[in-house]
mmCIF file of all heavy atoms in Angstrom:
data_model
loop_
_atom_site.group_PDB
_atom_site.id
_atom_site.type_symbol
_atom_site.label_atom_id
_atom_site.label_comp_id
_atom_site.label_asym_id
_atom_site.label_seq_id
_atom_site.Cartn_x
_atom_site.Cartn_y
_atom_site.Cartn_z
ATOM 1 N N PHE A 1 -7.113 -11.665 6.755
ATOM 2 C CA PHE A 1 -6.802 -10.288 7.161
ATOM 3 C C PHE A 1 -7.321 -9.995 8.569
ATOM 4 O O PHE A 1 -6.663 -9.324 9.346
ATOM 5 C CB PHE A 1 -7.358 -9.278 6.151
ATOM 6 C CG PHE A 1 -7.017 -7.863 6.503
ATOM 7 C CD1 PHE A 1 -5.696 -7.444 6.570
ATOM 8 C CD2 PHE A 1 -8.013 -6.936 6.794
ATOM 9 C CE1 PHE A 1 -5.366 -6.136 6.915
ATOM 10 C CE2 PHE A 1 -7.697 -5.633 7.132
ATOM 11 C CZ PHE A 1 -6.356 -5.230 7.195
ATOM 12 N N GLU A 2 -8.502 -10.529 8.904
ATOM 13 C CA GLU A 2 -9.034 -10.330 10.260
ATOM 14 C C GLU A 2 -8.091 -10.906 11.304
ATOM 15 O O GLU A 2 -7.899 -10.306 12.364
ATOM 16 C CB GLU A 2 -10.428 -10.953 10.384
ATOM 17 C CG GLU A 2 -11.501 -10.056 9.782
ATOM 18 C CD GLU A 2 -12.891 -10.669 9.828
ATOM 19 O OE1 GLU A 2 -13.188 -11.424 10.773
ATOM 20 O OE2 GLU A 2 -13.668 -10.383 8.910
ATOM 21 N N LYS A 3 -7.508 -12.072 11.003
ATOM 22 C CA LYS A 3 -6.520 -12.659 11.909
ATOM 23 C C LYS A 3 -5.335 -11.725 12.076
ATOM 24 O O LYS A 3 -4.841 -11.525 13.178
ATOM 25 C CB LYS A 3 -6.032 -14.006 11.360
ATOM 26 C CG LYS A 3 -6.596 -15.188 12.086
ATOM 27 C CD LYS A 3 -5.929 -16.486 11.624
ATOM 28 C CE LYS A 3 -6.943 -17.598 11.609
ATOM 29 N NZ LYS A 3 -7.326 -18.065 10.285
ATOM 30 N N LYS A 4 -4.875 -11.164 10.968
ATOM 31 C CA LYS A 4 -3.759 -10.224 11.010
ATOM 32 C C LYS A 4 -4.111 -9.015 11.889
ATOM 33 O O LYS A 4 -3.295 -8.557 12.672
ATOM 34 C CB LYS A 4 -3.392 -9.744 9.605
ATOM 35 C CG LYS A 4 -2.665 -10.785 8.768
ATOM 36 C CD LYS A 4 -2.335 -10.199 7.403
ATOM 37 C CE LYS A 4 -1.530 -11.128 6.545
ATOM 38 N NZ LYS A 4 -0.211 -11.468 7.072
ATOM 39 N N LEU A 5 -5.343 -8.520 11.751
ATOM 40 C CA LEU A 5 -5.774 -7.376 12.561
ATOM 41 C C LEU A 5 -5.821 -7.747 14.042
ATOM 42 O O LEU A 5 -5.415 -6.966 14.893
ATOM 43 C CB LEU A 5 -7.158 -6.886 12.118
ATOM 44 C CG LEU A 5 -7.220 -6.058 10.841
ATOM 45 C CD1 LEU A 5 -8.669 -5.759 10.494
ATOM 46 C CD2 LEU A 5 -6.433 -4.778 10.962
ATOM 47 N N ASN A 6 -6.341 -8.932 14.329
ATOM 48 C CA ASN A 6 -6.441 -9.377 15.720
ATOM 49 C C ASN A 6 -5.075 -9.590 16.355
ATOM 50 O O ASN A 6 -4.919 -9.441 17.570
ATOM 51 C CB ASN A 6 -7.270 -10.655 15.833
ATOM 52 C CG ASN A 6 -8.723 -10.416 15.489
ATOM 53 O OD1 ASN A 6 -9.230 -9.303 15.633
ATOM 54 N ND2 ASN A 6 -9.404 -11.440 15.011
ATOM 55 N N ASN A 7 -4.091 -9.948 15.544
ATOM 56 C CA ASN A 7 -2.743 -10.186 16.057
ATOM 57 C C ASN A 7 -1.856 -8.945 16.028
ATOM 58 O O ASN A 7 -0.698 -9.010 16.417
ATOM 59 C CB ASN A 7 -2.073 -11.310 15.259
ATOM 60 C CG ASN A 7 -2.775 -12.632 15.468
ATOM 61 O OD1 ASN A 7 -3.311 -12.895 16.546
ATOM 62 N ND2 ASN A 7 -2.810 -13.457 14.441
ATOM 63 N N LEU A 8 -2.411 -7.842 15.562
ATOM 64 C CA LEU A 8 -1.638 -6.605 15.464
ATOM 65 C C LEU A 8 -1.209 -6.137 16.854
ATOM 66 O O LEU A 8 -2.026 -6.043 17.770
ATOM 67 C CB LEU A 8 -2.481 -5.527 14.772
ATOM 68 C CG LEU A 8 -1.790 -4.197 14.501
ATOM 69 C CD1 LEU A 8 -0.667 -4.370 13.475
ATOM 70 C CD2 LEU A 8 -2.805 -3.185 13.977
ATOM 71 N N LYS A 9 0.074 -5.870 16.990
ATOM 72 C CA LYS A 9 0.619 -5.392 18.267
ATOM 73 C C LYS A 9 0.925 -3.904 18.153
ATOM 74 O O LYS A 9 1.146 -3.388 17.066
ATOM 75 C CB LYS A 9 1.918 -6.138 18.607
ATOM 76 C CG LYS A 9 1.795 -7.639 18.651
ATOM 77 C CD LYS A 9 1.262 -8.111 19.987
ATOM 78 C CE LYS A 9 0.992 -9.579 20.029
ATOM 79 N NZ LYS A 9 -0.308 -9.999 19.518
ATOM 80 N N ASP A 10 0.983 -3.257 19.315
ATOM 81 C CA ASP A 10 1.293 -1.826 19.346
ATOM 82 C C ASP A 10 2.806 -1.617 19.285
ATOM 83 O O ASP A 10 3.405 -1.038 20.179
ATOM 84 C CB ASP A 10 0.703 -1.197 20.620
ATOM 85 C CG ASP A 10 0.838 0.318 20.606
ATOM 86 O OD1 ASP A 10 1.149 0.880 19.539
ATOM 87 O OD2 ASP A 10 0.664 0.934 21.670
ATOM 88 N N THR A 11 3.416 -2.156 18.231
ATOM 89 C CA THR A 11 4.849 -1.933 18.018
ATOM 90 C C THR A 11 5.009 -1.402 16.600
ATOM 91 O O THR A 11 4.207 -1.717 15.720
ATOM 92 C CB THR A 11 5.676 -3.231 18.141
ATOM 93 O OG1 THR A 11 5.280 -4.122 17.091
ATOM 94 C CG2 THR A 11 5.486 -3.895 19.495
ATOM 95 N N GLN A 12 6.048 -0.618 16.408
ATOM 96 C CA GLN A 12 6.301 -0.046 15.093
ATOM 97 C C GLN A 12 6.458 -1.165 14.054
ATOM 98 O O GLN A 12 5.916 -1.089 12.956
ATOM 99 C CB GLN A 12 7.561 0.805 15.156
ATOM 100 C CG GLN A 12 7.750 1.692 13.955
ATOM 101 C CD GLN A 12 8.918 2.647 14.117
ATOM 102 O OE1 GLN A 12 9.616 2.623 15.117
ATOM 103 N NE2 GLN A 12 9.126 3.476 13.128
ATOM 104 N N GLU A 13 7.157 -2.208 14.443
ATOM 105 C CA GLU A 13 7.421 -3.331 13.541
ATOM 106 C C GLU A 13 6.114 -4.003 13.092
ATOM 107 O O GLU A 13 5.901 -4.256 11.910
ATOM 108 C CB GLU A 13 8.306 -4.343 14.269
ATOM 109 C CG GLU A 13 8.873 -5.421 13.395
ATOM 110 C CD GLU A 13 9.710 -6.424 14.195
ATOM 111 O OE1 GLU A 13 9.833 -6.276 15.434
ATOM 112 O OE2 GLU A 13 10.219 -7.352 13.562
ATOM 113 N N SER A 14 5.241 -4.278 14.049
ATOM 114 C CA SER A 14 3.969 -4.935 13.761
ATOM 115 C C SER A 14 3.093 -4.050 12.868
ATOM 116 O O SER A 14 2.529 -4.513 11.875
ATOM 117 C CB SER A 14 3.250 -5.258 15.071
ATOM 118 O OG SER A 14 2.025 -5.900 14.824
ATOM 119 N N ILE A 15 3.002 -2.778 13.223
ATOM 120 C CA ILE A 15 2.156 -1.842 12.473
ATOM 121 C C ILE A 15 2.689 -1.644 11.055
ATOM 122 O O ILE A 15 1.941 -1.731 10.083
ATOM 123 C CB ILE A 15 2.030 -0.501 13.233
ATOM 124 C CG1 ILE A 15 1.186 -0.716 14.505
ATOM 125 C CG2 ILE A 15 1.403 0.584 12.349
ATOM 126 C CD1 ILE A 15 1.265 0.400 15.517
ATOM 127 N N GLN A 16 4.009 -1.438 10.929
ATOM 128 C CA GLN A 16 4.584 -1.222 9.599
ATOM 129 C C GLN A 16 4.486 -2.478 8.736
ATOM 130 O O GLN A 16 4.269 -2.399 7.538
ATOM 131 C CB GLN A 16 6.040 -0.760 9.703
ATOM 132 C CG GLN A 16 6.130 0.694 10.131
ATOM 133 C CD GLN A 16 7.557 1.168 10.326
ATOM 134 O OE1 GLN A 16 8.474 0.376 10.538
ATOM 135 N NE2 GLN A 16 7.741 2.468 10.279
ATOM 136 N N GLY A 17 4.636 -3.629 9.375
ATOM 137 C CA GLY A 17 4.529 -4.886 8.637
ATOM 138 C C GLY A 17 3.151 -5.062 8.026
ATOM 139 O O GLY A 17 3.016 -5.398 6.837
ATOM 140 N N LEU A 18 2.121 -4.818 8.833
ATOM 141 C CA LEU A 18 0.755 -4.975 8.322
ATOM 142 C C LEU A 18 0.409 -3.854 7.338
ATOM 143 O O LEU A 18 -0.302 -4.069 6.356
ATOM 144 C CB LEU A 18 -0.260 -5.039 9.467
ATOM 145 C CG LEU A 18 -1.674 -5.450 9.054
ATOM 146 C CD1 LEU A 18 -1.705 -6.723 8.201
ATOM 147 C CD2 LEU A 18 -2.562 -5.649 10.275
ATOM 148 N N SER A 19 0.943 -2.671 7.580
ATOM 149 C CA SER A 19 0.728 -1.554 6.665
ATOM 150 C C SER A 19 1.299 -1.882 5.282
ATOM 151 O O SER A 19 0.644 -1.671 4.253
ATOM 152 C CB SER A 19 1.398 -0.299 7.226
ATOM 153 O OG SER A 19 1.367 0.746 6.289
ATOM 154 N N THR A 20 2.503 -2.439 5.262
ATOM 155 C CA THR A 20 3.130 -2.849 4.003
ATOM 156 C C THR A 20 2.281 -3.912 3.314
ATOM 157 O O THR A 20 2.061 -3.851 2.098
ATOM 158 C CB THR A 20 4.558 -3.386 4.270
ATOM 159 O OG1 THR A 20 5.305 -2.346 4.902
ATOM 160 C CG2 THR A 20 5.253 -3.803 2.989
ATOM 161 N N TRP A 21 1.787 -4.849 4.102
ATOM 162 C CA TRP A 21 0.915 -5.894 3.558
ATOM 163 C C TRP A 21 -0.315 -5.253 2.898
ATOM 164 O O TRP A 21 -0.696 -5.622 1.782
ATOM 165 C CB TRP A 21 0.504 -6.870 4.673
ATOM 166 C CG TRP A 21 -0.277 -8.046 4.164
ATOM 167 C CD1 TRP A 21 0.212 -9.261 3.771
ATOM 168 C CD2 TRP A 21 -1.704 -8.117 3.982
ATOM 169 N NE1 TRP A 21 -0.816 -10.070 3.352
ATOM 170 C CE2 TRP A 21 -2.004 -9.398 3.471
ATOM 171 C CE3 TRP A 21 -2.754 -7.223 4.189
ATOM 172 C CZ2 TRP A 21 -3.303 -9.812 3.176
ATOM 173 C CZ3 TRP A 21 -4.053 -7.624 3.889
ATOM 174 C CH2 TRP A 21 -4.311 -8.913 3.386
ATOM 175 N N CYS A 22 -0.938 -4.300 3.597
ATOM 176 C CA CYS A 22 -2.131 -3.620 3.056
ATOM 177 C C CYS A 22 -1.809 -2.923 1.733
ATOM 178 O O CYS A 22 -2.581 -3.003 0.778
ATOM 179 C CB CYS A 22 -2.661 -2.586 4.046
ATOM 180 S SG CYS A 22 -3.398 -3.296 5.527
ATOM 181 N N LEU A 23 -0.674 -2.240 1.695
ATOM 182 C CA LEU A 23 -0.303 -1.515 0.471
ATOM 183 C C LEU A 23 0.029 -2.484 -0.668
ATOM 184 O O LEU A 23 -0.231 -2.186 -1.831
ATOM 185 C CB LEU A 23 0.868 -0.569 0.746
ATOM 186 C CG LEU A 23 0.481 0.651 1.591
ATOM 187 C CD1 LEU A 23 1.703 1.353 2.136
ATOM 188 C CD2 LEU A 23 -0.393 1.614 0.805
ATOM 189 N N ASN A 24 0.576 -3.639 -0.329
ATOM 190 C CA ASN A 24 0.856 -4.654 -1.350
ATOM 191 C C ASN A 24 -0.432 -5.302 -1.869
ATOM 192 O O ASN A 24 -0.427 -5.953 -2.906
ATOM 193 C CB ASN A 24 1.796 -5.743 -0.812
ATOM 194 C CG ASN A 24 3.205 -5.222 -0.632
ATOM 195 O OD1 ASN A 24 3.599 -4.244 -1.251
ATOM 196 N ND2 ASN A 24 3.960 -5.866 0.232
ATOM 197 N N HIS A 25 -1.510 -5.159 -1.097
ATOM 198 C CA HIS A 25 -2.812 -5.705 -1.503
ATOM 199 C C HIS A 25 -3.806 -4.573 -1.764
ATOM 200 O O HIS A 25 -4.986 -4.699 -1.477
ATOM 201 C CB HIS A 25 -3.354 -6.646 -0.410
ATOM 202 C CG HIS A 25 -2.529 -7.882 -0.250
ATOM 203 N ND1 HIS A 25 -1.367 -7.913 0.483
ATOM 204 C CD2 HIS A 25 -2.697 -9.127 -0.745
ATOM 205 C CE1 HIS A 25 -0.850 -9.129 0.439
ATOM 206 N NE2 HIS A 25 -1.635 -9.891 -0.305
ATOM 207 N N LYS A 26 -3.295 -3.471 -2.309
ATOM 208 C CA LYS A 26 -4.158 -2.290 -2.451
ATOM 209 C C LYS A 26 -5.339 -2.503 -3.380
ATOM 210 O O LYS A 26 -6.306 -1.775 -3.307
ATOM 211 C CB LYS A 26 -3.359 -1.055 -2.817
ATOM 212 C CG LYS A 26 -2.629 -1.096 -4.130
ATOM 213 C CD LYS A 26 -1.902 0.233 -4.335
ATOM 214 C CE LYS A 26 -1.058 0.222 -5.579
ATOM 215 N NZ LYS A 26 0.287 -0.278 -5.349
ATOM 216 N N SER A 27 -5.303 -3.534 -4.215
ATOM 217 C CA SER A 27 -6.467 -3.818 -5.056
ATOM 218 C C SER A 27 -7.652 -4.265 -4.190
ATOM 219 O O SER A 27 -8.804 -4.145 -4.592
ATOM 220 C CB SER A 27 -6.139 -4.889 -6.092
ATOM 221 O OG SER A 27 -5.709 -6.065 -5.446
ATOM 222 N N ASP A 28 -7.354 -4.757 -2.990
ATOM 223 C CA ASP A 28 -8.405 -5.174 -2.041
ATOM 224 C C ASP A 28 -8.670 -4.115 -0.982
ATOM 225 O O ASP A 28 -9.251 -4.416 0.059
ATOM 226 C CB ASP A 28 -7.979 -6.452 -1.307
ATOM 227 C CG ASP A 28 -7.818 -7.631 -2.245
ATOM 228 O OD1 ASP A 28 -8.601 -7.724 -3.210
ATOM 229 O OD2 ASP A 28 -6.915 -8.449 -2.011
ATOM 230 N N LEU A 29 -8.233 -2.890 -1.239
ATOM 231 C CA LEU A 29 -8.281 -1.871 -0.190
ATOM 232 C C LEU A 29 -9.672 -1.659 0.395
ATOM 233 O O LEU A 29 -9.819 -1.546 1.611
ATOM 234 C CB LEU A 29 -7.720 -0.535 -0.682
ATOM 235 C CG LEU A 29 -7.532 0.467 0.466
ATOM 236 C CD1 LEU A 29 -6.391 0.033 1.373
ATOM 237 C CD2 LEU A 29 -7.304 1.863 -0.030
ATOM 238 N N ASN A 30 -10.706 -1.637 -0.447
ATOM 239 C CA ASN A 30 -12.052 -1.419 0.099
ATOM 240 C C ASN A 30 -12.425 -2.518 1.078
ATOM 241 O O ASN A 30 -13.025 -2.261 2.126
ATOM 242 C CB ASN A 30 -13.090 -1.297 -1.018
ATOM 243 C CG ASN A 30 -12.970 0.029 -1.739
ATOM 244 O OD1 ASN A 30 -12.534 1.020 -1.141
ATOM 245 N ND2 ASN A 30 -13.298 0.046 -3.012
ATOM 246 N N HIS A 31 -12.035 -3.725 0.742
ATOM 247 C CA HIS A 31 -12.289 -4.862 1.628
ATOM 248 C C HIS A 31 -11.462 -4.732 2.922
ATOM 249 O O HIS A 31 -11.967 -4.972 4.013
ATOM 250 C CB HIS A 31 -11.947 -6.147 0.886
ATOM 251 C CG HIS A 31 -12.227 -7.360 1.683
ATOM 252 N ND1 HIS A 31 -13.507 -7.741 2.002
ATOM 253 C CD2 HIS A 31 -11.400 -8.253 2.254
ATOM 254 C CE1 HIS A 31 -13.447 -8.832 2.749
ATOM 255 N NE2 HIS A 31 -12.180 -9.164 2.907
ATOM 256 N N ILE A 32 -10.207 -4.337 2.776
ATOM 257 C CA ILE A 32 -9.316 -4.141 3.925
ATOM 258 C C ILE A 32 -9.906 -3.087 4.867
ATOM 259 O O ILE A 32 -9.962 -3.278 6.075
ATOM 260 C CB ILE A 32 -7.902 -3.739 3.437
ATOM 261 C CG1 ILE A 32 -7.205 -4.967 2.822
ATOM 262 C CG2 ILE A 32 -7.080 -3.128 4.556
ATOM 263 C CD1 ILE A 32 -5.916 -4.665 2.080
ATOM 264 N N ILE A 33 -10.372 -1.993 4.288
ATOM 265 C CA ILE A 33 -10.945 -0.911 5.094
ATOM 266 C C ILE A 33 -12.204 -1.393 5.827
ATOM 267 O O ILE A 33 -12.399 -1.071 7.001
ATOM 268 C CB ILE A 33 -11.238 0.335 4.220
ATOM 269 C CG1 ILE A 33 -9.912 0.958 3.735
ATOM 270 C CG2 ILE A 33 -12.055 1.366 4.991
ATOM 271 C CD1 ILE A 33 -10.080 2.051 2.697
ATOM 272 N N LYS A 34 -13.038 -2.168 5.146
ATOM 273 C CA LYS A 34 -14.250 -2.713 5.795
ATOM 274 C C LYS A 34 -13.891 -3.577 6.999
ATOM 275 O O LYS A 34 -14.508 -3.470 8.062
ATOM 276 C CB LYS A 34 -15.055 -3.550 4.797
ATOM 277 C CG LYS A 34 -16.185 -2.805 4.158
ATOM 278 C CD LYS A 34 -17.109 -3.773 3.401
ATOM 279 C CE LYS A 34 -17.812 -3.048 2.293
ATOM 280 N NZ LYS A 34 -17.367 -3.394 0.940
#
C-alpha cells in the first residue's frame, strides 16, 4: 500500500483507482489510514 501511495498521481484516474482499492480493502481501513 505504501508503494501505491508513493506512486499516486494528481489525476482523477489515479486517485479514483486507489480510492476504489481502499474501499475494496475496507477491512484493513485502520491500517490504510495509518
Side-chain angles (χ1 to χ4, degrees):
F1 182 62
E2 281 177 32
K3 255 188 216 110
K4 286 181 176 297
L5 283 175
N6 293 334
N7 294 328
L8 184 66
K9 304 277 174 275
D10 188 13
T11 64
Q12 193 173 2
E13 191 182 1
S14 180
I15 290 165
Q16 285 177 338
L18 190 50
S19 172
T20 301
W21 186 92
C22 290
L23 288 165
N24 289 338
H25 293 81
K26 62 179 175 272
S27 58
D28 296 324
L29 190 70
N30 287 332
H31 182 68
I32 287 170
I33 292 171
K34 263 192 206 109

